Amino acid sequence: MSKTLRRFTTPQCAWLCLLCLLVLANVGCQRRDEEIAGVSIPIPEKMTKNPDKSFVPIKGFEDGQVSYQGKVPPAEIFTFYQETMAARGWQPNSWFTGQKDQIAYTKGNRVALIYYTPTPDGTTVLTIMVGTQYPPAQMNGK
């Protein structure tokens, strides 16, 4: 039976391994990381920064705000963040439970709000706000 199997030479094995690594690297390149207020947040690859976007931050998320846009369906954004944030140790919280287009996460004393809105032209606007979590008495000004 060993006579029917073709043996690869060392250079052929090296090329085959390199090809496999390149394929795996390309499959996994669906995101990039951005620093927002000193926190590394994953961003879907098809989203581009919206530098001129201005908005009023939500109380508790004032440390940093960034806006992106791209042709990524809202359901894909939701799944993307459910998977990537959990893998990085972020825990979803119940601050925006009733909102299907907002997800808040905590990690240590940092909080991140992921907010996405589809537009009529098929583009989705993604806004990320980062803050520092304080005890409730400090957040309420007491």
Side-chain angles (χ1 to χ4, degrees):
M1 185 163 153
S2 63
K3 292 179 183 179
T4 61
L5 292 176
R6 181 172 184 241
R7 297 198 179 255
F8 290 103
T9 64
T10 302
Q12 288 173 326
C13 284
W15 280 109
L16 184 59
C17 288
L18 181 61
L19 178 63
C20 288
L21 288 173
L22 287 173
V23 168
L24 288 174
N26 284 331
V27 169
C29 289
Q30 297 177 0
R31 65 171 173 80
R32 67 185 185 283
D33 291 349
E34 295 274 342
E35 286 288 320
I36 303 170
V39 177
S40 181
I41 303 286
I43 307 297
E45 191 66 35
K46 296 177 187 173
M47 301 301 272
T48 56
K49 194 176 267 188
N50 209 352
D52 297 328
K53 175 81 172 166
S54 64
F55 45 89
V56 177
I58 295 172
K59 185 173 174 84
F61 298 93
E62 299 96 351
D63 292 356
Q65 305 86 31
V66 182
S67 178
Y68 299 87
Q69 64 184 20
K71 298 271 185 184
V72 181
E76 237 179 81
I77 292 174
F78 178 82
T79 302
F80 174 84
Y81 282 103
Q82 289 290 314
E83 293 171 358
T84 59
M85 294 299 269
R88 292 166 175 236
W90 288 85
Q91 300 297 316
N93 66 39
S94 59
W95 291 355
F96 299 98
T97 305
Q99 307 291 326
K100 71 175 192 171
D101 57 355
Q102 296 179 16
I103 315 165
Y105 293 94
T106 58
K107 183 177 182 180
N109 71 333
R110 301 309 301 263
V111 291
L113 173 64
I114 313 297
Y115 179 81
Y116 47 94
T117 308
T119 62
D121 70 353
T123 301
T124 301
V125 176
L126 169 66
T127 303
I128 300 173
M129 298 182 186
V130 175
T132 304
Q133 188 174 10
Y134 298 102
Q138 287 181 331
M139 283 189 75
N140 293 333
K142 296 179 181 175

